[in-house]
Amino acid sequence: DGGITQSPKYLFRKEGQNVTLSCEQNLNHDAMYWYRQDPGQGLRLIYYSQIVNDFQKGDIAEGYSVSREKKESFPLTVTSAQKNPTAFYLCASSIGGRGEPQHFGDGTRLSIL
Amino acid sequence: DQQVKQNSPSLSVQEGRISILNCDYTNSMFDYFLWYKKYPAEGPTFLISISSIKDKNEDGRFTVFLNKSAKHLSLHIVPSQPGDSAVYFCAARIYNQGGKLIFGQGTELSVKP
């Protein structure tokens, strides 16, 4: 089955540590996205990539970093510079970067110990 | 600056009746609108979309209406079913900014038997 896999589903981090969230897709989509969801809020765009080896900052990129070395993979690193990292993180992909419906993974919930 | 707003955090409807979810936007550069449905601890799934050059799009029980002069769109679900109970997000794409979407805060729909 084609889809987007995010792992792990739950992640705990100690303050001051970096942590990397995994996102893999086998849909052969060119574009991939990372969003953050906080309670009572919509999804806010962190980073997106329209093609391999290229990515752009979204609305809340501070304290995060990404890489896009392979078409299938778009890992997100939450760095210690992110002051409020506790949230639900969602990865998505789409065929191109022209607003086609995005397909989402099931998310990773990150909590700070 | 919330460019896409869903002013009703929750909505309760009786099974078989119509559900109407509303969304307002402020940016005239939005050219494509989408609705997503989300269950707890899962990623959003695409439901229906509409281009800014249209005023209505229908898919089975789901119809999206767009009123450009009022900068307002709505999602109608008829008849509503208990399985429709979820959080619904509207999202908008900015013309010429690739696949970047702006999401509203979401409306939690509860359909009671």
Side-chain angles (χ1 to χ4, degrees):
Chain A
D1 262 28
I4 299 177
T5 301
Q6 289 188 245
S7 60
K9 198 164 182 65
Y10 300 94
L11 191 56
F12 300 92
R13 189 192 93 171
K14 291 183 180 179
E15 286 206 40
Q17 282 184 339
N18 293 353
V19 64
T20 298
L21 282 61
S22 169
C23 178
E24 304 277 333
Q25 55 100 356
N26 59 4
L27 299 165
N28 200 31
H29 285 173
D30 286 318
M32 296 186 74
Y33 312 82
W34 273 105
Y35 293 90
R36 169 182 171 139
Q37 186 187 14
D38 294 284
Q41 295 196 39
L43 282 64
R44 292 183 291 167
L45 183 65
I46 304 172
Y47 268 98
Y48 64 108
S49 167
Q50 295 180 278
I51 198 167
V52 174
N53 292 322
D54 186 44
F55 49 82
Q56 289 81 40
K57 291 182 179 180
D59 299 316
I60 54 166
E62 186 175 349
Y64 300 98
S65 66
V66 293
S67 63
R68 187 87 188 277
E69 296 175 3
K70 298 186 299 181
K71 188 175 186 177
E72 310 79 44
S73 179
F74 191 41
L76 173 74
T77 297
V78 185
T79 75
S80 57
Q82 170 49 238
K83 297 306 177 192
N84 187 20
T86 296
F88 189 51
Y89 290 88
L90 287 158
C91 178
S93 70
S94 63
I95 294 172
R98 294 175 298 279
E100 303 88 356
Q102 295 176 13
H103 299 258
F104 284 83
D106 281 341
T108 292
R109 184 163 297 281
L110 175 63
S111 300
I112 302 304
L113 296 177
Chain B
D1 176 27
Q2 190 76 27
Q3 298 185 66
V4 178
K5 293 183 182 180
Q6 294 176 256
N7 291 317
S8 298
S10 63
L11 175 67
S12 184
V13 171
Q14 207 68 32
E15 181 179 7
R17 307 294 288 268
I18 185 171
S19 296
I20 300 176
L21 297 101
N22 294 303
C23 182
D24 296 298
Y25 63 95
T26 57
N27 193 332
S28 301
M29 297 301 289
F30 289 145
D31 67 341
Y32 196 70
F33 301 89
L34 307 91
W35 283 95
Y36 284 85
K37 174 181 180 180
K38 184 182 181 301
Y39 294 115
E42 293 184 10
T45 54
F46 169 70
L47 203 53
I48 192 169
S49 62
I50 188 167
S51 165
S52 61
I53 62 173
K54 298 192 173 183
D55 55 19
K56 178 182 174 181
N57 189 27
E58 193 171 352
D59 183 3
R61 296 186 297 115
F62 302 91
T63 303
V64 56
F65 295 92
L66 176 62
N67 182 334
K68 282 185 68 177
S69 61
K71 292 191 174 69
H72 177 84
L73 68 155
S74 61
L75 174 69
H76 292 211
I77 307 173
V78 56
S80 302
Q81 300 172 354
D84 295 329
S85 298
V87 177
Y88 290 78
F89 290 98
C90 68
R93 180 186 77 175
I94 301 175
Y95 172 74
N96 215 26
Q97 285 197 18
K100 182 179 174 182
L101 296 178
I102 309 295
F103 282 81
Q105 308 97 307
T107 296
E108 183 171 9
L109 173 66
S110 175
V111 180
K112 301 190 181 306

